[in-house]
Amino acid sequence: MGSSEHSEEANWVLHTPRLPGLWREFTEASGEEISPKDTLPAPGSTKHFKKSSTASSAIDEERLDIDLDLEKNSSLVERTQWVLNGPEPPGLWHELMDSLRETISCCRKKYSSLKNQPTLKSAVSVQQEIFPILVWGRSYNMSKFKHDLMAGLTIASLCIPQSIGYATLAKLDPQYGLYTSVVPPLIYAVMGTSREIAIGPVAVVSLLLPSMIQKLQDPEADPIAYTKLVLTATFFTGIFQAAFGLFRLGFLVDFLSHAAIVGFVAGAAIIIGLQQLKGLLGITHFPTNTDVISVIEAVWTSFHHPGKKKKKLFWLPAVAPLLSVILSTLIVYLTRGDKHGINIVKHVKDGLNPSSVNLLQFNSPYVGAVAKVGLIVALVALAEAIAVGRSFSTMKGYHIDGNKEMMAMGFMNVVGSCTSCYVATGSFSRTAVNFSAGCETPVSNVVMAFTVIISLQLLTKLLYYTPTAILASIILSALSGLINLSEVYKIWKVDKLDFLACIGAFFGVLFASMEIGLLVAVIISFTKIILISIGPGTETLGKLPRTDMFCDTAQYPMAVKIPGIMIIRVKSALFCFANANFVRERIVRWITAKKGEDTKEAIQLVILDMSNLINIDTSGIATLEELQKNLISEGIECAESADVMMDSYIERTTIEDWIKLIPIYL
């Protein structure tokens, strides 16, 4: 019989999820954690005093017992007063000032430590903080360089054709994509903390920029003015990214939740793929809008001029794009395909990155709108880069500094905007290739950048006959990893509201625009937070047989409710004006329904388990007082678990003692 009971209890644990809460946590703690004072003999016990045979000693012993009891009671009263008449908690202004003082104190300690060091050593410490390459560079050797060299050459073979394709996707001249693969990777190599991330233009940002800027300036009508706005937006992107890192505002990136990013990237991947139909099918009149309806309409109307779709040649993951560019360019050159209707890249400007400081438009009437574009692009680019960096750093077991990453991204985009680069960030596809190729440090980015420099100096004339269709197919080949159906399914299984944010971002990008998709995702995420705050979960608790565990009776059907007592847990850390009435009405509804049932045992006591609560406002306090008055008018006593918890902490009682002691503290 005993063994069957034990197996039954084991099944509850193994096959039913255990919910955390005050009841279980306290009982587990009370069974395991015994303070040293609990091992001492209890005051007034027979072990505490020596026995005396004389009457005077017995009287003295009795007096001592009385004194100890009085001392114990006064101590209990004193500790009760600490709870009832506790000091006011610190306010918001106090917390902000504490945070500011902590930041200043941290900076002051760093400054003091540097001040006490020799000048040269202090300068080196500051430089190491800004440029991590000075730290890991001391242990760099030829073995690591061999791995970085092979990885850099590998990602360069993928980067060159992709950069040209992404520049055309951003509605810029092809050389701007190559420029963006030179300066930003070099800066990141000395300032970044990720070893694997590959820096350069990416598909999502390359589509996001024109989707917003072409509303201000048509790239077909005035490409020079459009390019100036793109470079200005890149400058603002870098400023915002650097500010996020400098003022530790990286939490702003978290507004784009994981689910929102998954849906946004998937929708953007489809839009990017549809955009490449212009190059694949040779469509001359293509819409400036990025929504799927406009693109499909343009494709439908161009069916009387069909083009041949290129077969994929990507059986080699990294070399195939470059190989396909070389072969297709050679075929077009030998057959003079450009004379027979094949669209080609034509002129690609050679030479190193020219200065573009004079192209930045800070006195333009669109400067406010361009700054808004920069903010949106900064958030998206950071979210993608940090997600990529953290994924691969976890695989290799090291940590990347988020604030340093933001500073590095911001500085490289600010400098990039002054050297004819548009927004650069970490690339999913190239980082995966870099990781697989065995890179050891960010030197692989340096190798890639110098390879692109050689291409700009020597190979741009060879790209004249490169067909735009092959560039479109290269971009399409890079999109397969952006649509993650398994991750979407996981989001659906874990959280339906997260799934709604994911789908909202996806359809927002697909049928409206990139910024609308982001806005929809952020709104849904904030709505989720508001709904959770307004309608917190509540549950009735029951006691598992032959245990001291109290659990949700809906989740644990075997849990037994105590006759005459209803125990309700509020699963919210915040009890305020937004959710207080909701909780009160639900409790009253439960009690009314319980009274309406044909039960022999009426509810005499309601216990509110508020152990999850960390913040309550005046509305929450007023609601609890109102609830207590309503229950008392119905002949029902009410108590919060905070009173019981305090007594249990002092006296180390069991859960059964809690229920017995509750009326004492009403």
Side-chain angles (χ1 to χ4, degrees), residues 270-271 274 289-298 509-512:
I270 293 178
I271 292 297
L274 291 174
N289 295 332
T290 59
D291 62 281
V292 65
I293 297 177
S294 301
V295 175
I296 291 179
E297 183 181 358
V509 171
L510 207 60
F511 292 102

Side-chain angles (χ1 to χ4, degrees), residues 223-376:
I224 296 179
Y226 172 81
T227 302
K228 291 180 179 180
L229 292 183
V230 170
L231 294 175
T232 307
T234 301
F235 177 84
F236 281 115
T237 297
I239 291 295
F240 282 120
Q241 290 175 333
F244 293 159
L246 181 63
F247 297 105
R248 300 181 179 274
L249 300 177
F251 66 89
L252 294 175
V253 179
D254 296 332
F255 286 155
L256 298 176
S257 64
H258 173 69
I261 290 295
V262 170
F264 173 77
V265 171
I270 293 178
I271 292 297
I272 292 169
L274 291 174
Q275 290 280 330
Q276 302 317 300
L277 294 178
K278 177 182 180 180
L280 284 174
L281 304 178
I283 302 174
T284 55
H285 300 289
F286 208 74
T288 56
N289 295 332
T290 59
D291 62 281
V292 65
I293 297 177
S294 301
V295 175
I296 291 179
E297 183 181 358
V299 174
W300 180 262
T301 56
S302 65
F303 271 171
H304 59 284
H305 296 297
K308 292 185 178 180
K309 188 175 180 179
K310 302 291 180 182
K311 294 184 178 180
K312 290 185 177 180
L313 302 174
F314 307 112
W315 50 275
L316 292 175
V319 181
L322 184 61
L323 184 63
S324 62
V325 168
I326 295 173
L327 291 177
S328 62
T329 303
L330 184 61
I331 291 172
V332 171
Y333 174 74
L334 294 176
T335 61
R336 295 296 177 181
D338 57 311
K339 305 295 184 182
H340 301 281
I342 296 180
N343 295 326
I344 60 175
V345 173
K346 297 183 180 179
H347 179 66
V348 178
K349 188 177 180 180
D350 58 1
L352 297 177
N353 296 39
S355 173
S356 57
V357 176
N358 59 330
L359 299 180
L360 300 180
Q361 301 292 301
F362 298 118
N363 56 354
S364 169
Y366 305 120
V367 65
V370 172
K372 184 191 74 172
V373 172
L375 176 60
I376 295 174

Side-chain angles (χ1 to χ4, degrees), residues 255-257 260 498 501 520-530:
F255 286 155
L256 298 176
S257 64
D498 264 357
V520 169
V522 171
I523 289 175
I524 293 176
S525 299
F526 272 103
T527 304
K528 172 189 173 182
I529 297 173
I530 294 172

Side-chain angles (χ1 to χ4, degrees), residues 28 140 304 349 380 393 413 438 471 507 509 553 578 613-614 634:
E28 289 179 350
Y140 197 73
H304 59 284
K349 188 177 180 180
V380 174
S393 66
N413 280 315
L471 296 177
F507 285 112
V509 171
T553 55
L613 188 65
I614 62 173
E634 297 288 337

